């Protein structure tokens, strides 16, 4: 089957319908990577978590697992998650805050609902993205930063409120340090409000988390990643109250292998990371979460 030809007059390059999976009543939509689009700028992974309503006694439990060659970005709309990692960090993330963990040569972490949240019914929703590190920084030291509401830049307009998670957007720059040129913003629009995404970066996309957005006269519903062609500004107008994530940046400095929780410019490095994890050579213990771990799947190499 042939691939539809893109209209050269359109600002839209492609539209990604995320794969959906159910993790025991907790729905996750994966927009990146996909068959239609592998990366947007340095972003190689984008998940929408929920929204989900967890019954009392239940919670999110992502057991300790490893990463290399990337930074993970966790941003919540609702709920709370406790991050623990092998570098000794323990941090609860709340809505509107930013957890930015750089794996570099290797880090282990877990993500779980707080104990106090499990005693009652709880809602959870948000985004998690992975940003591939530049090739010369893939083996950098692991690290972690957390930014609260008061430290994040915001931009406001008529019916529009944007929080700048990372990089620069709408004339504002986030406090979160990055290793490559990028932008990542959480934008809330009232019905009828309009926002203009500038053509500052070559690769750009909008993920519609809720509501519906009109672009070039076409309506795009929630759960869609709209990827834009380079070179021209794009106007997005909310048909009803909407929340979108704007993301992108300059193209990666070469292709990346993305397998399980690992990202690298080298397939051999990923194979080595898997071997290190299964043979307990990461040499990291997650504080307060030492008894469990997620085993790596089999690695099939062509």
């Amino acid at each position: 089957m042939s691939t539809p030809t893109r209209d050269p007059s359109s600002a839209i390059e492609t539209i990604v319908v995320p794969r959906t999976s159910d993790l025991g009543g907790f729905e996750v939509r994966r927009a990146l990577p996909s068959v239609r689009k592998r990366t947007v700028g340095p972003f190689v992974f984008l998940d929408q978590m929920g929204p989900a309503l967890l019954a009392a006694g239940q919670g999110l439990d992502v057991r300790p697992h490893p990463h290399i060659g990337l930074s993970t970005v966790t941003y919540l709309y609702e709920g709370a998650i406790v991050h623990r990692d092998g570098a000794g960090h323990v941090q609860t993330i709340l809505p509107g805050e930013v957890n930015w963990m750089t794996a570099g040569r290797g880090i282990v972490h877990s993500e779980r609902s707080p104990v106090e949240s499990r005693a009652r019914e709880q809602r959870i929703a948000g985004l998690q993205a992975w940003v591939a590190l530049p090739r010369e920084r893939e083996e950098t030291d692991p690290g972690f930063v957390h930014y609260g509401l008061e430290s994040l830049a915001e931009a406001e307009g008529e019916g529009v409120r944007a929080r700048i998670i990372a990089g620069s957007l709408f004339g504002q720059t986030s406090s979160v340090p990055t290793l490559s040129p990028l932008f990542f913003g959480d934008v809330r629009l009232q019905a009828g409000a309009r926002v203009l995404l500038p053509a500052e970066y070559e690769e750009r996309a909008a993920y519609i988390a809720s509501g519906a957005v009109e672009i070039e006269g076409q309506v795009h519903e929630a759960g869609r990643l709209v990827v834009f062609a380079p070179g021209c500004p794009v106007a997005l107008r909310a048909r009803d109250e909407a929340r979108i994530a704007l993301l992108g940046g300059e193209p990666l400095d070469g292709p990346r292998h993305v397998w399980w929780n690992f990202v690298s410019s080298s397939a051999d490095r990923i194979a080595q990371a898997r071997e290190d994890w299964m043979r307990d050579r990461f040499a990291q213990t997650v504080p307060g979460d030492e008894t469990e771990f997620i085993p790596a799947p089999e690695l099939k190499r062509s």
Side-chain angles (χ1 to χ4, degrees):
M1 184 173 64
S2 61
T3 302
T5 303
R6 186 182 77 83
D7 180 356
S9 66
S10 174
I12 297 177
E13 177 184 300
T14 192
I15 299 170
V16 176
V17 179
R19 305 188 308 276
T20 301
S21 57
D22 189 298
L23 304 180
F26 185 81
E27 188 174 77
V28 174
R29 296 183 179 92
R30 180 152 302 165
L32 290 175
S34 75
V35 173
R36 298 189 67 87
K37 193 69 177 177
R38 304 297 298 175
T39 62
V40 177
F43 290 87
V44 297
F45 178 99
L46 179 65
D47 267 4
Q48 180 182 8
M49 307 175 288
L53 182 63
L54 303 179
Q58 295 183 341
L60 176 71
D61 284 298
V62 181
R63 294 168 291 157
H65 59 281
H67 291 285
I68 66 164
L70 58 86
S71 292
T72 64
V73 190
T74 304
Y75 185 83
L76 293 181
Y77 297 147
E78 297 180 273
I81 294 176
V82 176
H83 161 97
R84 293 182 173 88
D85 67 47
H89 303 101
V90 179
Q91 177 67 55
T92 300
I93 180 171
L94 299 173
E97 301 178 341
V98 175
N99 264 18
W100 191 286
M101 183 185 75
T102 298
R105 65 175 179 269
I107 197 167
V108 181
H109 78 136
S110 66
E111 299 157 293
R112 298 184 187 268
S113 296
V115 173
E116 58 272 20
S117 298
R118 297 170 187 264
R120 61 185 184 277
E121 190 176 69
Q122 57 178 309
R123 288 183 60 84
I124 187 164
L127 302 174
Q128 187 169 87
W130 295 355
V131 177
L133 299 178
R135 280 193 286 186
E136 70 273 11
R137 303 297 296 273
E138 286 183 324
E139 298 297 319
T140 194
D141 292 341
F144 173 83
V145 289
H146 175 84
Y147 288 85
L149 288 171
E150 70 287 346
S151 60
L152 296 180
E154 292 190 347
E156 292 191 44
E158 189 173 342
V160 179
R161 185 171 184 179
R163 180 168 289 122
I164 317 307
I165 299 170
S168 297
L169 187 64
F170 306 136
Q172 301 293 326
T173 300
S174 170
S175 303
V176 178
T178 66
L179 296 177
S180 55
L182 59 82
F183 68 95
F184 192 17
D186 170 28
V187 183
R188 304 182 75 164
L189 301 102
Q190 297 176 9
R194 180 177 177 273
V195 67
L196 187 68
L197 177 62
E200 181 179 356
Y201 295 94
E202 183 173 344
E203 298 187 358
R204 301 163 298 158
Y207 182 77
I208 305 166
S210 63
V213 174
E214 182 180 325
I215 306 168
E216 296 184 334
Q218 295 187 347
V219 177
H220 303 274
E221 304 291 340
R224 298 292 183 269
L225 179 72
V226 184
V227 182
F228 304 115
C232 61
V234 181
L236 302 93
R237 188 177 72 87
R239 290 293 294 266
D240 46 23
E241 187 173 325
R243 191 167 198 168
I244 62 176
L246 298 176
L247 65 149
E250 294 307 309
L252 283 168
D253 54 357
R256 290 298 190 276
H257 301 274
V258 181
W259 180 84
W260 195 43
N261 300 311
F262 303 145
V263 175
S264 179
S265 56
S266 165
D268 288 341
R269 178 68 180 93
I270 284 180
Q272 176 196 330
R274 182 196 181 278
E275 185 76 2
D276 289 346
W277 176 242
M278 295 306 291
R279 293 184 179 274
D280 197 25
R281 293 199 292 249
F282 266 70
Q284 292 183 4
T285 300
V286 176
D289 212 345
E290 298 90 352
T291 60
E292 295 185 288
F293 79 102
I294 300 177
E298 290 297 322
L299 176 59
K300 298 179 181 179
R301 300 181 61 176
S302 56

